[in-house]
Amino acid sequence: MRPYIICHMSTSIDGRLHPSRFTRAAPGISWDVLRAYHEKMHERFEADGWIVGRKTMSEMAKGAERSIAEASKVQREAHLAERHGRKLAVAIDPSGHVHYGKDNVGGDHVVAVLGEQVSDGYLAELREDGVSYVFAGEKGDELSRAMEQLASLFGARRLLLEGGGRINGAFLKHKLIDEFSTLIFPAVDGVAGTQSIVDYSGPEGDRPGAGQALRLTHCEALDGGMVWLRHAVERAPG
C-alpha cells in the first residue's frame, strides 16, 4: 500500500508556476491574499506531509555541503531518524544533491528519497543532520517503491505533491497521483517554454497521462478572483 497523493499546485491561467513572472493583480486585489491561498488549502487537507523535487527542496533547505572524513560503508537500506511526531518533508533527490544542516524544513521532518548510487559520505551527512532517508532503487527512479516505504515505515496515509513540474510529471507517469488540487491565479505568465504544472521529460511521443482521466469534484471561486479546482484521477482497469 502507498499513501493517497494529491498534486497541490498554484498556477497562472496558462499553467505556469512562478508568480514573479505573472501579470500584476488588478486594482483593489491584494497579491499577498492571493498567494496565501496555497498554504491555507495545504493545511485544509490535513496531510501527513508533502513532497517536492530536488530543485525546490534545495531552495527551501539552503544547507551547506560539508565533508565527512572517512565515512564508513553502510548498507543501502532505509534510515529512520527521530521524527518526534512531525509531518514529513519529502525530497525526491536521486543523486543526493540537497544539503540540510538540520533535520527539518519549515518544522517538518525531512525524508530524502535517494538512489543507491549516492556516496557513503552523503549518507553520513544526512545521519548527522538527523534526516531520514529511503531508497528508490539504484537510480532513484522507483517512485512506487519509495511511496510504499513512506506508508509502511512512517505511517503516511495522505501526502501532498507540490512540484516542480518535472517531479509531478514523473509521478503522473508512474500513476501515483490520485487527485489534482489546482489554485488558479487571475494572472498570466505568457513566456514560451517556462515550466508548467506537469512537465514530463520522457521519450518523445510518450504520454505520461495515458490510461488516466480526470473527473471534476470541486470548483470554488475565491476572493480576489482566485479559482480552486479539484479533480479525481480515474484509471482504466488493468
Side-chain angles (χ1 to χ4, degrees), residues 8-68:
H8 178 56
M9 300 293 291
S10 296
T11 175
S12 59
I13 64 172
D14 52 343
R16 309 307 187 187
L17 301 182
H18 297 287
S20 63
R21 293 196 300 264
F22 292 0
T23 50
R24 65 185 183 183
I29 304 299
S30 168
W31 193 252
D32 290 337
V33 169
L34 296 177
R35 296 194 67 166
Y37 277 123
H38 185 93
E39 191 63 26
K40 286 181 179 180
M41 301 315 175
H42 176 112
E43 295 299 327
R44 186 180 296 187
F45 281 117
E46 298 183 344
D48 299 301
W50 44 275
I51 307 167
V52 293
R54 174 189 61 81
K55 290 184 67 174
T56 303
M57 186 59 86
S58 292
E59 294 169 358
M60 301 172 72
K62 300 179 180 179
E65 182 178 2
R66 62 185 189 277
S67 176
I68 305 295

Coordinates of all heavy atoms in Angstrom, one line a residue, residues 8-68:
H8 N -0.9 19.2 -5.4 CA -1.4 20.5 -5.0 C -0.6 21.6 -5.5 O 0.6 21.8 -5.1 CB -1.5 20.6 -3.4 CG -2.0 21.9 -2.9 ND1 -3.3 22.4 -3.2 CD2 -1.5 22.7 -2.0 CE1 -3.5 23.5 -2.6 NE2 -2.4 23.7 -1.8
M9 N -1.1 22.4 -6.5 CA -0.2 23.4 -7.2 C -1.0 24.7 -7.3 O -2.2 24.7 -7.5 CB 0.2 22.9 -8.5 CG 1.0 21.6 -8.5 SD 2.6 21.8 -7.7 CE 3.5 22.8 -9.0
S10 N -0.2 25.8 -7.4 CA -0.8 27.1 -7.7 C -0.2 27.5 -9.1 O 1.0 27.3 -9.3 CB -0.4 28.2 -6.7 OG -1.0 27.9 -5.4
T11 N -1.0 28.1 -9.9 CA -0.6 28.4 -11.3 C -1.3 29.6 -11.8 O -2.3 30.1 -11.3 CB -1.0 27.2 -12.2 OG1 -0.7 27.4 -13.5 CG2 -2.5 26.9 -12.1
S12 N -0.7 30.2 -12.9 CA -1.4 31.2 -13.7 C -2.4 30.5 -14.6 O -2.5 29.3 -14.7 CB -0.4 31.9 -14.6 OG 0.3 31.0 -15.4
I13 N -3.2 31.3 -15.3 CA -4.3 30.7 -16.1 C -3.6 29.9 -17.3 O -4.3 29.1 -17.9 CB -5.3 31.7 -16.6 CG1 -4.7 32.8 -17.5 CG2 -6.0 32.3 -15.4 CD1 -5.7 33.7 -18.2
D14 N -2.4 30.2 -17.6 CA -1.7 29.5 -18.7 C -0.8 28.4 -18.2 O 0.1 27.9 -18.8 CB -0.9 30.4 -19.6 CG 0.0 31.3 -18.9 OD1 -0.1 31.5 -17.7 OD2 1.0 31.9 -19.6
G15 N -1.0 28.0 -16.9 CA -0.4 26.8 -16.4 C 1.0 26.9 -15.9 O 1.7 25.9 -15.6
R16 N 1.5 28.2 -15.7 CA 2.9 28.4 -15.3 C 3.0 28.5 -13.8 O 2.0 28.7 -13.1 CB 3.4 29.6 -15.9 CG 3.3 29.7 -17.4 CD 3.8 28.5 -18.2 NE 3.7 28.6 -19.6 CZ 4.0 27.6 -20.5 NH1 4.3 26.5 -20.0 NH2 3.9 27.9 -21.8
L17 N 4.2 28.4 -13.3 CA 4.4 28.2 -11.8 C 5.1 29.3 -11.1 O 5.1 29.3 -9.8 CB 5.3 26.9 -11.6 CG 4.7 25.6 -12.2 CD1 5.6 24.4 -11.8 CD2 3.3 25.3 -11.7
H18 N 5.7 30.3 -11.7 CA 6.5 31.2 -11.0 C 5.8 32.6 -10.9 O 5.8 33.4 -11.9 CB 7.8 31.4 -11.7 CG 8.6 30.1 -11.6 ND1 9.2 29.6 -10.4 CD2 8.9 29.2 -12.5 CE1 9.8 28.5 -10.7 NE2 9.6 28.2 -11.9
P19 N 5.2 32.9 -9.7 CA 4.5 34.2 -9.6 C 5.3 35.4 -9.9 O 4.7 36.5 -10.2 CB 4.1 34.2 -8.1 CG 4.0 32.7 -7.8 CD 5.1 32.1 -8.5
S20 N 6.6 35.4 -9.8 CA 7.5 36.5 -10.1 C 7.3 37.0 -11.6 O 7.6 38.2 -11.9 CB 8.9 36.2 -9.9 OG 9.4 35.2 -10.7
R21 N 6.8 36.1 -12.5 CA 6.6 36.5 -13.9 C 5.1 36.7 -14.2 O 4.8 37.1 -15.3 CB 7.1 35.4 -14.8 CG 8.6 35.2 -14.7 CD 9.1 34.4 -15.9 NE 8.5 33.1 -16.0 CZ 9.1 32.0 -15.5 NH1 10.3 32.1 -14.9 NH2 8.5 30.8 -15.5
F22 N 4.2 36.6 -13.2 CA 2.8 36.7 -13.5 C 2.5 38.2 -13.7 O 3.1 39.1 -13.2 CB 1.9 36.2 -12.3 CG 2.0 34.7 -12.1 CD1 2.7 33.9 -13.0 CD2 1.2 34.1 -11.1 CE1 2.7 32.5 -12.8 CE2 1.3 32.8 -10.9 CZ 2.0 32.0 -11.7
T23 N 1.4 38.5 -14.5 CA 0.9 39.8 -14.5 C 0.4 40.3 -13.2 O 0.1 39.4 -12.3 CB -0.3 39.9 -15.5 OG1 -1.3 38.9 -15.2 CG2 0.1 39.7 -17.0
R24 N 0.4 41.6 -12.9 CA 0.1 42.1 -11.6 C -1.4 41.9 -11.2 O -2.2 41.7 -12.1 CB 0.5 43.5 -11.5 CG -0.3 44.5 -12.4 CD 0.2 45.9 -12.3 NE -0.6 46.8 -13.1 CZ -0.3 48.1 -13.3 NH1 0.7 48.6 -12.7 NH2 -1.1 48.9 -14.0
A25 N -1.7 42.0 -10.0 CA -3.0 41.9 -9.5 C -3.8 43.1 -9.9 O -3.3 44.2 -10.1 CB -3.1 41.7 -8.0
A26 N -5.1 42.9 -10.2 CA -6.0 44.0 -10.5 C -6.1 45.0 -9.4 O -5.9 44.7 -8.2 CB -7.4 43.5 -10.9
P27 N -6.4 46.3 -9.7 CA -6.6 47.3 -8.6 C -7.6 46.8 -7.6 O -8.6 46.3 -7.9 CB -7.1 48.5 -9.4 CG -6.6 48.3 -10.8 CD -6.6 46.9 -11.0
G28 N -7.2 47.0 -6.3 CA -8.0 46.6 -5.2 C -7.8 45.2 -4.8 O -8.4 44.7 -3.8
I29 N -7.0 44.4 -5.5 CA -6.8 43.0 -5.2 C -5.4 42.8 -4.5 O -4.4 43.3 -5.1 CB -6.9 42.1 -6.4 CG1 -8.2 42.2 -7.1 CG2 -6.6 40.6 -6.0 CD1 -9.4 41.9 -6.3
S30 N -5.4 42.2 -3.3 CA -4.1 42.0 -2.6 C -3.4 40.8 -3.1 O -3.9 39.7 -3.1 CB -4.4 41.9 -1.1 OG -3.2 41.5 -0.5
W31 N -2.2 41.0 -3.6 CA -1.3 39.9 -4.1 C -1.0 39.0 -2.9 O -0.9 37.8 -3.1 CB -0.1 40.4 -4.7 CG 0.7 39.4 -5.5 CD1 1.9 38.8 -5.1 CD2 0.3 38.8 -6.7 NE1 2.3 37.9 -6.1 CE2 1.4 37.9 -7.1 CE3 -0.7 39.0 -7.6 CZ2 1.3 37.1 -8.2 CZ3 -0.8 38.2 -8.7 CH2 0.2 37.3 -9.1
D32 N -0.8 39.5 -1.7 CA -0.5 38.7 -0.6 C -1.7 37.8 -0.2 O -1.4 36.6 0.2 CB -0.2 39.6 0.7 CG 1.2 40.3 0.5 OD1 2.0 39.8 -0.3 OD2 1.4 41.3 1.2
V33 N -2.9 38.3 -0.4 CA -4.1 37.5 -0.1 C -4.1 36.3 -1.1 O -4.4 35.1 -0.7 CB -5.3 38.3 -0.2 CG1 -6.6 37.4 -0.2 CG2 -5.4 39.3 1.0
L34 N -3.8 36.6 -2.4 CA -3.9 35.5 -3.4 C -2.8 34.5 -3.1 O -3.1 33.3 -3.1 CB -3.6 36.1 -4.8 CG -4.7 37.1 -5.3 CD1 -4.3 37.7 -6.6 CD2 -6.1 36.5 -5.4
R35 N -1.6 34.9 -2.8 CA -0.5 33.9 -2.5 C -0.8 33.1 -1.3 O -0.3 31.9 -1.2 CB 0.8 34.6 -2.4 CG 1.2 35.3 -3.7 CD 2.7 35.8 -3.7 NE 3.6 34.6 -3.7 CZ 4.9 34.7 -4.0 NH1 5.4 35.8 -4.2 NH2 5.6 33.6 -3.9
A36 N -1.5 33.6 -0.3 CA -1.7 32.9 0.9 C -2.7 31.7 0.8 O -2.7 30.8 1.6 CB -2.3 33.9 2.0
Y37 N -3.5 31.7 -0.3 CA -4.4 30.6 -0.5 C -3.7 29.2 -0.6 O -4.3 28.2 -0.2 CB -5.3 30.8 -1.8 CG -6.4 31.8 -1.5 CD1 -6.6 32.9 -2.3 CD2 -7.4 31.5 -0.6 CE1 -7.6 33.8 -2.1 CE2 -8.5 32.3 -0.4 CZ -8.6 33.5 -1.1 OH -9.6 34.3 -0.9
H38 N -2.5 29.2 -1.2 CA -1.9 27.9 -1.3 C -1.7 27.2 0.0 O -2.0 26.0 0.2 CB -0.5 28.1 -2.0 CG 0.1 26.7 -2.3 ND1 0.0 26.1 -3.5 CD2 1.0 25.9 -1.6 CE1 0.7 25.0 -3.5 NE2 1.3 24.8 -2.3
E39 N -1.1 28.0 1.0 CA -0.9 27.4 2.3 C -2.2 27.1 3.0 O -2.3 26.1 3.8 CB 0.0 28.3 3.1 CG 0.5 27.7 4.4 CD 1.5 26.5 4.1 OE1 2.1 26.4 3.1 OE2 1.5 25.6 5.0
K40 N -3.2 27.9 2.9 CA -4.5 27.7 3.5 C -5.1 26.4 3.1 O -5.5 25.6 3.9 CB -5.4 28.8 3.2 CG -5.2 30.1 3.9 CD -6.2 31.2 3.6 CE -5.9 32.5 4.3 NZ -6.9 33.5 4.0
M41 N -5.0 26.1 1.8 CA -5.6 24.9 1.3 C -4.7 23.7 1.6 O -5.2 22.6 1.9 CB -5.8 25.0 -0.3 CG -6.7 26.1 -0.7 SD -8.3 26.2 0.3 CE -9.0 27.7 -0.4
H42 N -3.4 23.9 1.6 CA -2.4 22.9 2.1 C -2.8 22.4 3.5 O -2.9 21.2 3.7 CB -1.0 23.5 2.1 CG 0.0 22.6 2.6 ND1 1.0 22.1 1.8 CD2 0.3 22.1 3.9 CE1 1.8 21.4 2.5 NE2 1.4 21.4 3.8
E43 N -3.1 23.3 4.4 CA -3.4 22.9 5.7 C -4.8 22.3 5.8 O -5.0 21.4 6.6 CB -3.4 24.2 6.7 CG -2.0 24.8 6.8 CD -1.0 23.8 7.5 OE1 -1.5 23.0 8.3 OE2 0.2 23.9 7.1
R44 N -5.7 22.7 4.9 CA -7.1 22.1 5.0 C -7.1 20.6 4.7 O -7.9 19.9 5.2 CB -8.0 22.8 4.0 CG -9.4 22.4 4.0 CD -10.3 23.2 3.0 NE -10.3 24.6 3.3 CZ -11.1 25.4 2.6 NH1 -11.9 25.0 1.6 NH2 -11.2 26.7 2.9
F45 N -6.1 20.1 3.9 CA -6.0 18.7 3.6 C -5.6 17.8 4.7 O -5.8 16.6 4.7 CB -5.1 18.5 2.4 CG -5.6 18.8 1.1 CD1 -5.0 19.8 0.3 CD2 -6.7 18.2 0.5 CE1 -5.5 20.2 -1.0 CE2 -7.2 18.5 -0.7 CZ -6.6 19.5 -1.5
E46 N -5.0 18.4 5.8 CA -4.5 17.7 6.9 C -3.7 16.4 6.5 O -3.9 15.3 7.0 CB -5.7 17.2 7.8 CG -6.5 18.4 8.4 CD -7.6 18.0 9.3 OE1 -8.0 16.8 9.3 OE2 -8.1 18.9 10.0
A47 N -2.8 16.6 5.6 CA -2.0 15.5 5.1 C -0.9 15.2 6.1 O -0.6 16.0 7.1 CB -1.3 15.9 3.8
D48 N -0.2 14.1 5.9 CA 0.9 13.6 6.8 C 2.2 14.3 6.4 O 3.2 14.1 7.1 CB 1.0 12.1 6.8 CG -0.3 11.4 7.3 OD1 -0.6 11.7 8.4 OD2 -0.9 10.7 6.5
G49 N 2.2 15.0 5.3 CA 3.4 15.6 4.8 C 3.3 16.0 3.4 O 2.2 16.0 2.8
W50 N 4.4 16.5 2.8 CA 4.5 17.0 1.4 C 5.7 16.5 0.7 O 6.7 16.1 1.4 CB 4.4 18.5 1.4 CG 5.2 19.2 2.4 CD1 4.9 19.4 3.8 CD2 6.6 19.7 2.2 NE1 6.0 20.1 4.4 CE2 7.0 20.3 3.5 CE3 7.4 19.8 1.1 CZ2 8.2 20.9 3.6 CZ3 8.6 20.4 1.3 CH2 9.0 20.9 2.5
I51 N 5.7 16.5 -0.6 CA 6.7 16.0 -1.4 C 7.1 17.1 -2.5 O 6.2 17.7 -3.1 CB 6.3 14.8 -2.2 CG1 5.7 13.7 -1.3 CG2 7.4 14.2 -3.1 CD1 5.0 12.6 -2.1
V52 N 8.4 17.3 -2.6 CA 8.9 18.2 -3.7 C 10.1 17.6 -4.3 O 10.7 16.6 -3.8 CB 9.2 19.6 -3.2 CG1 8.0 20.3 -2.7 CG2 10.3 19.6 -2.1
G53 N 10.5 18.1 -5.5 CA 11.7 17.6 -6.2 C 13.0 18.3 -5.6 O 12.9 19.2 -4.7
R54 N 14.1 17.9 -6.2 CA 15.4 18.3 -5.7 C 15.6 19.9 -5.8 O 16.0 20.5 -4.8 CB 16.5 17.7 -6.6 CG 17.9 18.2 -6.2 CD 18.9 17.7 -7.2 NE 18.7 18.1 -8.6 CZ 19.0 19.3 -9.1 NH1 19.6 20.2 -8.3 NH2 18.8 19.6 -10.3
K55 N 15.2 20.5 -6.9 CA 15.5 21.9 -7.1 C 14.6 22.7 -6.1 O 15.1 23.6 -5.5 CB 15.2 22.3 -8.5 CG 16.1 21.8 -9.5 CD 15.8 22.4 -10.9 CE 16.0 23.9 -11.0 NZ 15.9 24.4 -12.4
T56 N 13.4 22.3 -5.9 CA 12.5 23.0 -5.0 C 13.0 22.9 -3.6 O 13.1 23.8 -2.8 CB 11.1 22.5 -5.1 OG1 10.6 22.7 -6.4 CG2 10.1 23.2 -4.2
M57 N 13.4 21.7 -3.2 CA 13.9 21.4 -1.8 C 15.2 22.2 -1.6 O 15.4 22.7 -0.5 CB 14.1 20.0 -1.5 CG 14.4 19.7 -0.1 SD 13.2 20.2 1.1 CE 12.1 18.9 1.2
S58 N 16.1 22.3 -2.6 CA 17.3 23.0 -2.4 C 17.1 24.5 -2.1 O 17.8 25.1 -1.2 CB 18.2 22.9 -3.7 OG 18.7 21.6 -3.8
E59 N 16.1 25.0 -2.7 CA 15.7 26.4 -2.5 C 15.2 26.6 -1.1 O 15.3 27.7 -0.5 CB 14.7 26.9 -3.5 CG 15.2 27.0 -4.9 CD 14.1 27.2 -6.0 OE1 12.9 27.3 -5.5 OE2 14.4 27.3 -7.2
M60 N 14.5 25.6 -0.5 CA 13.9 25.7 0.8 C 14.9 25.3 1.9 O 14.9 26.0 3.0 CB 12.7 24.8 0.9 CG 11.6 25.1 -0.2 SD 10.3 23.9 -0.2 CE 9.5 24.2 1.3
A61 N 15.7 24.3 1.7 CA 16.6 23.8 2.8 C 17.8 24.8 3.0 O 18.2 25.1 4.1 CB 17.1 22.4 2.4
K62 N 18.5 25.2 1.9 CA 19.6 26.1 2.0 C 20.7 25.7 2.9 O 21.4 26.5 3.5 CB 19.1 27.5 2.4 CG 18.0 28.1 1.5 CD 17.5 29.4 1.9 CE 16.4 30.0 1.0 NZ 15.9 31.3 1.4
G63 N 21.0 24.4 3.0 CA 22.1 23.9 3.8 C 23.4 24.0 3.0 O 23.4 24.1 1.8
A64 N 24.5 23.8 3.7 CA 25.8 23.9 3.1 C 26.4 22.5 3.0 O 26.3 21.7 4.0 CB 26.7 24.8 3.8
E65 N 27.0 22.1 1.9 CA 27.7 20.9 1.8 C 28.9 20.8 2.7 O 29.6 21.8 2.9 CB 28.2 20.6 0.4 CG 28.9 19.3 0.1 CD 29.3 19.1 -1.3 OE1 29.0 20.1 -2.1 OE2 29.8 18.1 -1.6
R66 N 29.2 19.7 3.3 CA 30.4 19.6 4.2 C 31.0 18.2 3.9 O 30.3 17.3 3.5 CB 30.0 19.8 5.6 CG 29.1 18.8 6.2 CD 28.7 19.2 7.7 NE 27.9 18.2 8.3 CZ 26.6 18.0 8.2 NH1 25.9 18.8 7.5 NH2 26.0 17.0 8.9
S67 N 32.2 18.1 4.3 CA 33.0 16.8 4.0 C 33.0 16.0 5.3 O 33.2 16.4 6.4 CB 34.4 17.2 3.6 OG 35.2 16.0 3.5
I68 N 32.6 14.7 5.1 CA 32.6 13.7 6.2 C 33.9 12.9 6.0 O 33.9 12.0 5.1 CB 31.4 12.9 6.2 CG1 30.1 13.8 6.3 CG2 31.4 11.9 7.4 CD1 30.0 14.6 7.5

